[in-house]
DNA sequence: GCTGTTATTAACAAAATGTTAAAAAGAGTA
DNA sequence: TACTCTTTTTAACATTTTGTTAATAACAGC
């Protein structure tokens, strides 16, 4: 068989192909938006505290009406998969050109009560200073606190207007698989969003150690202590200054600027050194 | 609004919901099966060489008839997403209870010439000793060789009956995103399979350093040198014996058995120490 | 100038990793 | 039996990285 014939066969086949031959379902995308919040410290001489936070929106329609959920939407039939989270994010937060990374695809049969839906979850990292407009009325930032016990992970999400709490139980040994956990005590979050959030936190804690993704959440200029605080809230533990500085100093460049007026030695401002 | 009313609203909504409201498409799953092959060394006194290899099947139908591809199939409408790769793997290789991990979801609009298909790729690790039956006539193991130049990655897949070669060009800085690469010079592989294979290799090389996944490809008993060889073929570089042994000795237990008769000091046989 | 505060780094300790080379334990062979 | 060839195994040291403590620096406010 020569190549011409083969191409011809393929064309004939494609022209007579019936696309309804296989089961068809809907595909959605959720976006787990991470950012860093400053919360004012009551002691006016102390530094503001950094908080690791995620963006949730309140559902206006059924199903899960009035519950919080991750911003998301349906994939369109003629739309690149990678475009869907961009489009949704632009619509919900007016953010463009943010760091996006595919997180995991969730496909439990009953995850949506309406119909069979498979969800491709993405993770976005934003520098909240770049938020041009106010958030929509039904969106809010929630600070993340994670409490780990034996086979149980409790996550508390706290905004100015609401507090969400849920627990994940480990039902399986495979620690890197989000489906190794079962959701319990979830009152306020829609769909399987607790799994998406948990898996995103896990991914962040891992990748922070061997990539430069944190810098997507930093402003252009920052002090090393501010950067260290971001590492600390993501990792959920304190780091020692000298050790942190040794490791991070390859990734940043000192600038001519300082942050002063704080009642102590001014801190030098650094910026990210692009590795090229 | 009380909870009873809310539940009632939700039920009313669900009963009147029209599932054809949103675009619907087909979902497939591909499985990148990794294994380790022994190739006999021509010098009879030398040890057999370990090769890192993947399983490909030859397509019998259009599209891409007679090209090699990853084993895969369509997700059924009432099937758990995690079940699809299990079902496909059982059918194609007669393997059950293998290590499976979700790799990435590929959703370029034109990745399948027939219809809009989104593909959830999985990675499987198998110990080839457990293969109970012969492979199907149209399946074969291909040894993997990867050659990295500047912005170019060349991958050579070699089986007893065929040799496949393709190149990926880096078109984007984001090194962890498979879509940062463009496929060139691909003659023999179907769909976007080169991207799946490349991303799987990347994932393996990363995870081998901070997880115990290699042991899914090892037989029950193995020598430390055999284990080291597996690390070496996956990482694509030689390791120094004492350094490797120091790191790996926490993960294995020495057994009472030895492998002898090789014309040199016998090697102690170890087994995986489950971390529990 | 003194106090309170945080930034920055020096200096040392401890741990991890890289490297070289020697010893151990067999099979084959003269 | 003694010697060679081979690979396994580890000792011993060098080097690098990381952990820790504590000293010094530089400001604001009083």
């Amino acid at each position: 068989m020569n190549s011409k014939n083969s191409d011809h066969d393929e064309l004939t086949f494609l022209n007579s192909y019936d696309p309804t031959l296989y089961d068809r379902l809907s595909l959605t995308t959720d976006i787990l938006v991470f950012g860093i919040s400053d919360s004012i410290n009551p002691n006016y001489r102390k530094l503001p505290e950094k908080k690791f936070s995620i963006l949730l929106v309140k559902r206006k329609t059924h199903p899960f009406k009035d519950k919080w959920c991750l911003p998301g939407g349906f994939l369109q039939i003629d739309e690149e998969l990678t475009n869907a989270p961009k489009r949704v994010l632009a619509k919900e937060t007016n953010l463009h050109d943010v760091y996006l990374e595919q997180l995991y695809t969730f496909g439990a049969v009953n995850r949506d009560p309406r119909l069979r839906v498979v969800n491709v979850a993405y993770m976005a990292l934003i520098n909240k200073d770049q938020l041009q407009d106010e958030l929509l009325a039904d969106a809010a930032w929630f600070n993340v606190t994670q409490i780990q016990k034996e086979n149980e992970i409790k996550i508390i999400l706290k905004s100015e207007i609401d507090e969400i709490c849920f627990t994940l139980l480990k039902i399986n040994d495979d620690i890197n698989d989000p489906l190794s956990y079962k959701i319990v005590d979830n009152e306020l979050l829609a769909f399987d969003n607790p799994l998406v959030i948990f898996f995103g936190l896990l991914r962040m804690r891992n990748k922070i150690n061997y990539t430069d993704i944190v810098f997507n959440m930093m402003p252009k200029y920052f002090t090393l202590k501010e950067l260290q605080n971001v590492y600390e809230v993501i990792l959920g533990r304190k780091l020692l200054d000298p050790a942190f500085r040794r490791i991070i100093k390859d990734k940043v460049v000192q600038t001519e600027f300082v942050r002063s007026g704080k009642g102590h030695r001014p801190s030098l401002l650094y910026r990210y050194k692009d590795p090229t």
Side-chain angles (χ1 to χ4, degrees), chain A residues 191-208:
Chain A
F191 305 107
D192 48 6
N193 282 185
L195 283 185
V196 184
I197 293 169
F198 165 67
F199 197 51
L201 291 171
L202 205 66
R203 172 81 62 95
M204 276 302 296
R205 269 214 302 278
N206 266 319
K207 284 197 98 167
I208 202 179

Side-chain angles (χ1 to χ4, degrees), chain A residues 60-186:
Chain A
K60 286 163 287 190
T61 57
H62 290 291
F64 298 109
K65 189 161 181 283
D66 297 324
K67 297 211 171 181
W68 292 99
C69 73
L70 298 172
F74 282 83
L75 174 71
Q76 291 160 6
I77 189 90
D78 56 354
E79 181 183 33
E80 293 288 330
L81 177 59
T82 48
N83 187 68
K86 282 183 201 165
R87 175 175 52 79
V88 172
L89 211 54
K91 197 187 79 187
E92 306 248 358
T93 65
N94 201 23
L95 272 168
H96 304 267
D97 297 320
V98 304
Y99 175 85
L100 270 169
E101 161 177 335
Q102 198 186 94
L103 187 57
Y104 195 83
T105 299
F106 295 86
V109 169
N110 292 317
R111 54 174 301 285
D112 191 314
R114 291 168 290 185
L115 71 170
R116 178 70 197 277
V117 165
V118 170
N119 182 264
V120 185
Y122 281 78
M123 188 169 93
L125 302 186
I126 73 166
N127 163 14
K128 286 172 69 181
D129 294 353
Q130 292 179 332
L131 268 176
Q132 290 156 348
D133 302 317
E134 293 296 306
L135 285 180
L136 303 175
D138 49 358
W141 286 99
F142 286 75
N143 291 338
V144 182
T145 312
Q146 185 171 338
I147 300 162
Q148 186 116 20
K149 298 173 210 162
E150 293 265 332
N151 290 318
E152 200 180 297
I153 294 155
K154 187 174 182 180
I155 293 177
I156 302 161
L157 307 174
K158 196 169 186 172
S159 77
E160 288 173 7
I161 52 176
D162 216 341
E163 182 167 325
I164 300 171
C165 180
F166 59 84
T167 305
L168 298 175
L169 271 182
K170 197 160 152 195
I171 54 173
N172 189 308
D173 262 353
D174 192 346
I175 205 165
N176 290 306
D177 184 353
L179 305 184
S180 302
Y181 293 83
K182 191 180 139 193
I183 306 168
V184 294
D185 292 338
N186 173 35

Side-chain angles (χ1 to χ4, degrees), chain A residues 196-254:
Chain A
V196 184
I197 293 169
F198 165 67
F199 197 51
L201 291 171
L202 205 66
R203 172 81 62 95
M204 276 302 296
R205 269 214 302 278
N206 266 319
K207 284 197 98 167
I208 202 179
N209 290 314
Y210 64 95
T211 69
D212 294 355
I213 47 172
V214 259
F215 295 103
N216 292 295
M217 291 189 287
M218 300 302 291
K220 180 158 185 189
Y221 300 108
F222 48 82
T223 71
L224 291 186
K225 194 66 173 187
E226 286 165 359
L227 184 58
Q228 183 177 338
N229 283 335
V230 172
Y231 272 81
E232 287 173 346
V233 294
I234 293 172
L235 291 172
R237 62 187 169 89
K238 288 285 169 192
L239 302 174
L240 289 166
D241 297 2
F244 176 76
R245 276 155 190 264
R246 260 193 305 247
I247 290 171
I248 213 68
K249 275 211 166 166
D250 296 335
K251 299 186 177 183
V252 295
V253 206
Q254 187 184 322

